[in-house]
Amino acid sequence: MRHPVSRLRARALAVGLVLAAATLTPSGSAGAADQYEWAALGDSYTAGGFVGEPLPALGDPSRDGCDRTSDAYPGLVERELDDFPPGKPVRLTNVSCGNATINDIAKTRQTPISPVQPPADGWTAVDTQIKRAELGDQTDVITIGVGGNSLPFGGMLLTCLTQGGLGQSCRDHYTNPPEGEESITEKLARVQDEYIEMLANVHQAAPNAKVITVGYPAVLPEDAADCSRLSLSELGPIAHSDINWLRDDVLKQLNSTIKRVTDFFGDRYVNVYDSSVGHDACQPADTKWVEGICGDAEDYWPTSVPGTLLNCAPFNKRATLVHPNAEGHANTANHVERAIRIALLER
């Protein structure tokens, strides 16, 4: 198997990294004179989904189906940076979108899938996030939290849920996949290629910006024995051996891939995994920073997932599908705020 760093270097050259790197040298001062410009890009782990109030508010004609919320980490950080530095606030443009893939950042139009008050004819496709954020010479800092949906981690989790209910192993499924389906090794290699291309495009769109990538938290326990296979408030019937595999060979490898590419570009990676260990979906309600398959969420969030048999209503829970809760976003906000402060001080 080819070493990941060698593959990264070859792919970076293939997408014209030399040209992209030339844009990393600032050609002028960024940002407006009276404020710094921050763009937040990413998926549901950035958007928030069910944490806080919907943004835009329910009923607002500008709702786009991306499920951004007030208490997701971008909003929390923005409020803390209101007076940084004194007299020059940071203006947030948040275009994160639930279910976004790496390619939706700079390459493809995304059709949102929000289950919250969708239009009768479905949500309208939205432009790439770099276009929606209007990245340019005046952009000072960009945060990006994306990658999970490109595997897709959520789809893999649901497969493991189904396989576990049948007494089968999803590790076997993804290690030796059916014909026409990628193995986990192939998935991670593709994600790396997509992340390289995405970061090159981001730098070209905003040549003066400091770019910060955000990894994923510890959604799975360090010891799978912490999980009850009878509880959908945790990870349900997923086999303990598969939980260990998902943690070590999927989630940790995804974070490693994001960090490796980030380092290669000379950008800053925010590690939220280490600080969230022990606060995974299988911990008690007052300890977890990630809700389980079914979990606690605001009343507007649905109890079931369209097109699946999952129904959390009998448990007085909502379909949270292993996403951060308010405490999880608060933890991420602490790390992202620090990274942004450092980035702006370096300008």
Side-chain angles (χ1 to χ4, degrees), residues 74-110:
L76 299 178
V77 174
E78 181 188 31
R79 295 194 282 275
E80 291 297 320
L81 293 177
D82 186 55
D83 61 349
F84 174 80
K88 190 171 182 179
V90 178
R91 187 179 79 96
L92 168 64
T93 300
N94 183 0
V95 295
S96 58
C97 194
N99 205 47
T101 66
I102 295 169
N103 287 335
D104 293 331
I105 300 297
K107 190 174 181 180
T108 57
R109 291 172 60 86
Q110 177 188 356

Side-chain angles (χ1 to χ4, degrees), residues 288-339:
K288 64 172 63 181
W289 292 352
V290 179
E291 298 298 317
I293 303 294
C294 299
D296 295 326
E298 299 291 343
D299 290 344
Y300 59 79
W301 198 251
T303 58
S304 60
V305 178
T308 74
L309 297 176
L310 180 65
N311 183 8
C312 301
F315 314 106
N316 295 316
K317 299 290 183 180
R318 299 185 180 270
T320 46
L321 298 176
V322 194
H323 278 73
N325 55 28
E327 290 78 9
H329 277 280
N331 179 64
T332 299
N334 288 336
H335 293 275
V336 171
E337 179 190 346
R338 179 177 182 274

Side-chain angles (χ1 to χ4, degrees), residues 55-236:
L55 296 175
L58 297 180
D60 190 311
S62 66
R63 280 179 53 75
D64 56 8
C66 283
D67 289 326
R68 291 179 296 277
T69 59
S70 61
D71 293 341
Y73 74 78
L76 299 178
V77 174
E78 181 188 31
R79 295 194 282 275
E80 291 297 320
L81 293 177
D82 186 55
D83 61 349
F84 174 80
K88 190 171 182 179
V90 178
R91 187 179 79 96
L92 168 64
T93 300
N94 183 0
V95 295
S96 58
C97 194
N99 205 47
T101 66
I102 295 169
N103 287 335
D104 293 331
I105 300 297
K107 190 174 181 180
T108 57
R109 291 172 60 86
Q110 177 188 356
T111 300
I113 61 170
S114 172
V116 180
Q117 298 183 356
D121 54 352
W123 297 103
T124 301
V126 296
D127 216 334
T128 62
Q129 292 190 23
I130 63 170
K131 289 184 178 179
R132 297 189 83 193
E134 298 182 344
L135 300 188
D137 292 346
Q138 301 302 306
T139 306
D140 292 285
V141 63
I142 302 166
T143 56
I144 309 171
V146 75
N149 293 315
S150 294
L151 285 173
F153 186 78
M156 296 177 68
L157 200 69
L158 289 174
T159 296
C160 291
L161 189 67
T162 301
Q163 298 280 72
L166 298 173
Q168 299 174 358
S169 169
C170 67
R171 174 181 183 173
D172 292 344
H173 177 88
Y174 287 110
T175 302
N176 299 291
E179 185 175 355
E181 187 170 339
E182 293 176 310
S183 68
I184 184 56
T185 300
E186 292 169 330
K187 287 177 180 293
L188 288 166
R190 174 177 50 75
V191 163
Q192 177 172 282
D193 289 349
E194 291 172 354
Y195 215 93
I196 291 168
E197 186 174 3
M198 180 270 291
L199 276 187
N201 282 320
V202 166
H203 278 292
Q204 287 177 325
N208 300 317
K210 296 286 187 178
V211 177
I212 299 166
T213 66
V214 184
Y216 289 90
V219 303
L220 306 167
E222 293 301 292
D223 184 353
D226 289 351
C227 297
S228 168
R229 297 191 64 192
L230 298 177
S231 176
L232 285 175
S233 293
E234 297 178 7
L235 298 175

Side-chain angles (χ1 to χ4, degrees), residues 262-281:
T262 300
D263 290 347
F264 193 80
F265 273 81
D267 297 325
R268 186 183 303 277
Y269 172 76
V270 174
N271 174 5
V272 296
Y273 188 98
D274 291 349
S275 59
S276 59
V277 169
H279 298 281
D280 55 84

